[in-house]
Amino acid sequence: MAHLPLEELLAKFQAANAAGDASHSGLDQLRSYRELAEACPAFTPNLLRLARLLRLVDEPGTEAEAMLTEVHRLLERAVQASDRSADALIELGYFLDTHRHEPAQARKLLEEGAAKALSSLEDAWAGLIRHLEMEKQLPQALELSARAEQLFPQSGRIMGAVSDARQAAGSTGLLPPEAMEP
């Protein structure tokens, strides 16, 4: 099976998104997302959108259990295709809790999704603090540093970025010397 070039994949996804604006019933959009899922079964953003839309659109001739089975299958595929991304894990966790009444499994997925989301946030904030410091946007770097320190007090990446931002702020007189270290 030939893969769609990235540009074509994104164009089809954008077209599917736009189909929802033109259709009040959502059936055209559903068809577009399904076609894209067939053409590229590992494109996670489409799988997640399709799973969400299936729960919202009343498809003639489709029974509720069949729809839920399809949603479950799509969400499982999204978790696999995304290498267990936070978004996919959280979406599957909500689904299992709400529609399958599997609170224990839902909790495991939600906890894993939260841990992955926090890890991404830690990486993003460390990088952003460093970027702000390098761009000499020290008040913003210090403000973000304070929040990051509270949320990630044991993070070496965060503490390194915070220390550098404080040193830079101290060398410009923005911070007194006693405030430069935690």
Side-chain angles (χ1 to χ4, degrees):
M1 176 183 218
H3 293 282
L4 294 175
L6 179 61
E7 294 79 19
E8 187 177 342
L9 176 68
L10 294 175
K12 286 181 180 279
F13 187 60
Q14 292 296 330
N17 291 335
D21 299 335
S23 168
H24 294 292
S25 70
L27 293 175
D28 291 336
Q29 191 174 31
L30 213 81
R31 188 187 82 263
S32 296
Y33 286 138
R34 276 198 173 114
E35 288 172 3
L36 187 54
E38 286 178 28
C40 189
F43 185 49
T44 304
N46 183 65
L47 298 174
L48 293 174
R49 289 267 173 92
L50 177 54
R52 287 182 198 121
L53 190 61
L54 279 167
R55 288 177 275 178
L56 299 174
V57 173
D58 187 22
E59 232 179 333
T62 302
E63 294 195 20
E65 187 53 40
M67 177 271 298
L68 291 174
T69 298
E70 182 179 3
V71 169
H72 194 172
R73 182 183 52 78
L74 289 166
L75 293 174
E76 289 281 353
R77 191 184 320 161
V79 166
Q80 291 174 330
S82 70
D83 193 29
R84 302 184 74 77
S85 74
D87 288 346
L89 289 164
I90 292 166
E91 193 75 26
L92 180 56
Y94 279 135
F95 175 81
L96 291 177
D97 190 42
T98 304
H99 297 288
R100 294 296 190 213
H101 309 291
E102 297 180 21
Q105 184 62 24
R107 181 179 177 158
K108 289 178 187 175
L109 291 165
L110 292 168
E111 286 174 345
E112 183 181 350
K116 287 196 173 202
L118 277 173
S119 177
S120 292
L121 180 62
E122 178 183 357
D123 290 344
W125 277 4
L128 185 54
I129 292 167
R130 289 199 186 284
H131 173 78
L132 291 169
E133 182 243 324
M134 298 299 284
E135 294 291 315
K136 305 294 185 222
Q137 296 176 358
L138 299 175
Q140 295 94 330
L142 293 173
E143 181 182 325
L144 182 55
S145 292
R147 290 195 329 230
E149 263 185 316
Q150 288 177 337
L151 191 56
F152 302 106
Q154 304 301 315
S155 170
R157 280 194 75 184
I158 293 289
M159 292 307 127
V162 167
S163 177
D164 291 348
R166 285 188 177 142
Q167 290 292 330
S171 69
T172 64
L174 193 58
L175 271 182
E178 63 273 5
M180 289 175 37
E181 288 302 319

